[in-house]
Structures are given as C-alpha cells and as structure tokens.
C-alpha cells in the first residue's frame, strides 16, 4: 500500500475501534459467566460445559485480535505495507469466531426444539450452522495461505458473503420460530404466564436482532467498502454478540421465573384476586400484599423459560 493512499482512519482506526468494543464486550461476557456459575450451581453439566467452552474461545479470540492490533500499530509502526498481509493471529481469530457463532446458534435451535417439540426447524438450523462452521474453517485455512488481503477478498468474496448470509438467516429463523411457537402457547396460558411469554418473545427478538444486524452490517460494509477495514471492525466483536446473547439467555431464567404481582384483598374475604381483575371501591377497606409467583409449566415440552 503506497503511503499516499494510506487511510489511517479507515484501516488502523477502524481496527482499533473494533478491538476496543470487543474487549469491552468480553468484560461483559466474563461478568455474565460469573453470574451464571453463582446463580445456577445445580445446572446441567452440558450447559456449564457450554459456558466454559464459549468463554475460553472468547478469551482466545480476544488475545488474537489484541495481538494483531499490537503488531500492526507497534511492531510495524510507520509501515503501512504491513496491512497488505495482516498477522496470522488475525486469521486465528476467524477460527475462534467461526466456532462461537455456530455453537450459540445450535444452542438456540435446541431452544426451538424444547418449545415446539418438533425437529424440522431445529434440524435446518443445525445443518446451516454446521455449514457455516465448515465454511469458516475453509476461509481461515485459505487466509493462512494468502499473499495479500485484497487478493483474498477478491478470490473468496463469495465464501465470506455466504458465511455471513447463512449466519443472518439462522438468527432470523431461530428468532421467528421461537416467537411463533411461544405465541401459540400464549393463547392457552393463564394471564400471568402470558405476561412471561410476552417478555420471552421480546427478549428473543432483541437477542436475534443483535446478532443478525451486526452480521448484516458487516456484510454490507464488506461488499460496499472492501478497500478499508470497517467491515473488520464489526468482525472484531461479532462473536461477543453471540456469547453475550447466550449468557443473557441463561441468566434471565431467574428473572422470568419470578414475577411480582399486587394482590388486593378485602378483609372479609378469604381469598385474593389479582389487581388487574379487581375493582377498587372507596367505601371498602382494602389491604395490599406483594406476592412472588414462580412460573413453571407442566408441559412435557419443558420449562417455558428455557426458550429465552
């Protein structure tokens, strides 16, 4: 890259911003992992292993991108030509990110199976996630052998765009399926359970949007602006969006399973009714009591809070 054509803001600047955001989000991942282990010590081993697995891969990813930034800004200070072929640690980050995304998507596909009791959509999601994993591994393998970043982008543009497009498709499919099946259960649920389902649907849409929008924005910049590193900025923290959504889903079970409702009780009555179904009469004395309700379904499909 000639010095006259060097754009520090669009290359090293974008890379630095992405690494800073990624490190910040890794701190949130670590805090969420700590909260998970303190709140759910009796959780199934497979979920504990999943959290540990994702956290260590996030740590490795964070170390890789930090080394890449240090190499380009310190070791190769004043040498824009170093951007022609980035360090191998940046390509190693592709491996870690390529594993984290599909693993988390497989987790949410399992949630679809629990809620729906059906295998069609989960199998589609698992298959697409496996395809994404394989294509990410292929992209990483080719990256290690490339001679320049620009030639790699031109030659394997189809591969990178397919990986990102498949990832977005799985996110949208999982979020849509969860919302659909949860809404079906809502029609046959009590009022307090319906409130919890509404919260789960809202959180499902939010987590699905976070990962799919990040991947979509990265894809747009990769296609529209291949000559700079803005798309790499989003790549730096794309994996963090997946891991944070996973841990937020696991940790949110405590909040969703315990909901406070206000009960209005007349002294002469032995039973209480919910405030939403009770009319207040000024001539009567009414006592207010807070009740904490634990929501557990008896459906064979599993606890509905597992859908988060």
């Amino acid at each position: 890259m000639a010095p006259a054509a060097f754009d520090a803001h669009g290359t090293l600047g974008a890379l630095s911003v992405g690494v800073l955001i990624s490190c910040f989000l890794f701190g949130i991942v670590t805090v969420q992992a700590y909260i998970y282990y303190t709140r759910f010590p009796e959780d199934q081993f497979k979920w504990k292993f999943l959290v540990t697995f994702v956290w260590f891969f996030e740590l490795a990813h964070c170390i890789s991108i930090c080394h890449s930034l240090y190499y380009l800004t310190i070791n190769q200070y004043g040498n824009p030509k170093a951007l022609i072929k980035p360090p191998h640690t940046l390509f190693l980050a592709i491996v870690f990110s390529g594993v984290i995304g599909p693993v988390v998507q497989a987790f949410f596909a399992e949630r679809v199976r629990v809620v729906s009791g059906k295998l069609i959509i989960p199998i589609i999601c698992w298959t697409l996630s496996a395809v994404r994993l394989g294509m990410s591994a292929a992209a990483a393998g080719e990256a290690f052998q490339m001679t320049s970043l620009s030639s790699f982008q031109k030659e394997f543009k189809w591969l990178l765009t397919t990986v990102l497009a498949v990832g977005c498709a799985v996110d949208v499919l999982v979020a849509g399926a969860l919302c659909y099946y949860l809404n079906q259960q809502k029609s046959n649920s009590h009022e307090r359970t319906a409130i919890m389902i509404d919260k789960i649907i809202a959180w499902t849409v939010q987590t699905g949007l976070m990962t799919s929008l990040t991947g979509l924005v990265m894809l747009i910049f990769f296609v529209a602006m291949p000559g700079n590193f803005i798309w790499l900025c989003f790549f730096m923290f794309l994996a963090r969006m997946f891991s944070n959504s996973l841990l937020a889903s696991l940790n949110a079970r405590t909040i969703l399973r315990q909901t406070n409702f206000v009960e209005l009780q007349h002294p002469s009555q032995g039973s209480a009714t919910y405030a939403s179904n009770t009319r207040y009469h000024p001539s009567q004395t009414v006592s207010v009591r807070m009740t904490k309700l634990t929501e557990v379904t008896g459906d064979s499909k599993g606890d509905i809070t597992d859908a988060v």
Side-chain angles (χ1 to χ4, degrees):
M1 183 178 295
F6 177 59
D7 178 16
H9 298 288
T11 53
L12 293 178
L15 198 65
S16 299
V17 171
V19 172
L20 287 173
I21 296 175
S22 182
C23 290
F24 172 76
L25 292 176
F26 177 69
I28 297 178
V29 169
T30 302
V31 171
Q32 288 210 77
Y34 173 79
I35 292 174
Y36 169 76
Y37 281 112
T38 54
R39 281 187 181 178
F40 304 99
E42 303 300 325
D43 227 349
Q44 296 182 48
F45 172 77
K46 62 181 180 180
W47 303 135
K48 291 182 178 180
F49 176 79
L50 176 63
V51 171
T52 303
F53 176 86
V54 169
W55 186 87
F56 274 107
F57 266 66
E58 286 286 14
L59 175 63
H61 183 274
C62 189
I63 293 173
S64 297
I65 62 174
C66 286
H67 174 271
S68 299
L69 180 64
Y70 187 90
Y71 175 83
L72 293 172
T73 57
I74 305 300
N75 290 357
Q76 298 296 327
Y77 176 76
N79 180 24
K81 292 184 178 180
L83 298 175
I84 296 176
K85 185 179 180 181
H88 284 178
T89 47
L90 184 61
F91 311 143
L92 195 60
I94 299 176
V95 177
F96 298 127
S97 179
V99 172
I100 293 170
V103 166
V104 173
Q105 288 178 331
F107 164 82
F108 282 108
E110 168 64 12
R111 287 295 190 247
V112 175
R113 186 196 65 80
V114 170
V115 173
S116 66
K118 300 176 181 179
L119 284 172
I120 297 178
I121 293 181
I123 288 177
I124 294 174
C125 294
W126 289 330
T127 302
L128 291 176
S129 296
V131 169
R132 181 187 178 185
L133 176 62
M135 297 182 76
S136 297
E142 294 295 338
F144 278 108
Q145 302 174 21
M146 75 177 186
T147 56
S148 69
L149 184 59
S150 58
S151 62
F152 173 76
Q153 288 179 253
K154 292 178 181 178
E155 186 176 357
F156 296 101
K157 181 179 180 179
W158 65 272
L159 181 60
L160 297 176
T161 53
T162 303
V163 169
L164 294 174
V166 169
C168 292
V170 174
D171 290 334
V172 172
L173 184 58
V174 167
L178 282 174
C179 291
Y180 173 77
Y181 289 117
L182 285 170
N183 195 57
Q184 279 191 330
Q185 293 193 17
K186 178 183 174 182
S187 59
N188 300 322
S189 303
H190 296 291
E191 181 179 355
R192 63 180 185 270
T193 305
I195 293 173
M196 183 176 65
I197 292 177
D198 284 336
K199 290 182 180 180
I200 296 175
I201 292 175
W203 287 12
T204 299
V205 172
Q206 291 170 5
T207 53
L209 280 177
M210 284 194 307
T211 53
S212 59
L213 283 180
T214 303
L216 180 61
V217 171
M218 177 182 168
L219 176 60
I220 291 173
F221 278 110
F222 174 75
V223 174
M225 300 180 179
N228 56 43
F229 284 2
I230 296 179
W231 66 276
L232 272 177
C233 172
F234 290 91
F235 166 77
M236 294 298 163
F237 60 85
L238 177 61
R240 305 289 183 275
M241 306 302 288
F242 283 104
S243 56
N244 270 298
S245 64
L246 165 69
L247 287 163
S249 173
L250 291 171
N251 291 334
R253 290 175 295 172
T254 299
I255 300 174
L256 289 172
R257 287 172 178 172
Q258 294 181 334
T259 307
N260 289 327
F261 292 84
V262 178
E263 293 183 28
L264 302 181
Q265 184 176 26
H266 191 281
S268 62
Q269 296 175 341
S271 60
T273 56
Y274 292 106
S276 58
N277 297 324
T278 304
R279 295 182 179 179
Y280 172 68
H281 300 282
S283 60
Q284 297 177 338
T285 303
V286 180
S287 62
V288 180
R289 181 164 61 91
M290 296 299 295
T291 302
K292 183 173 288 186
L293 299 175
T294 301
E295 301 287 352
V296 180
T297 62
D299 197 330
S300 60
K301 296 175 184 176
D303 191 340
I304 199 171
T305 54
D306 287 339
V308 181

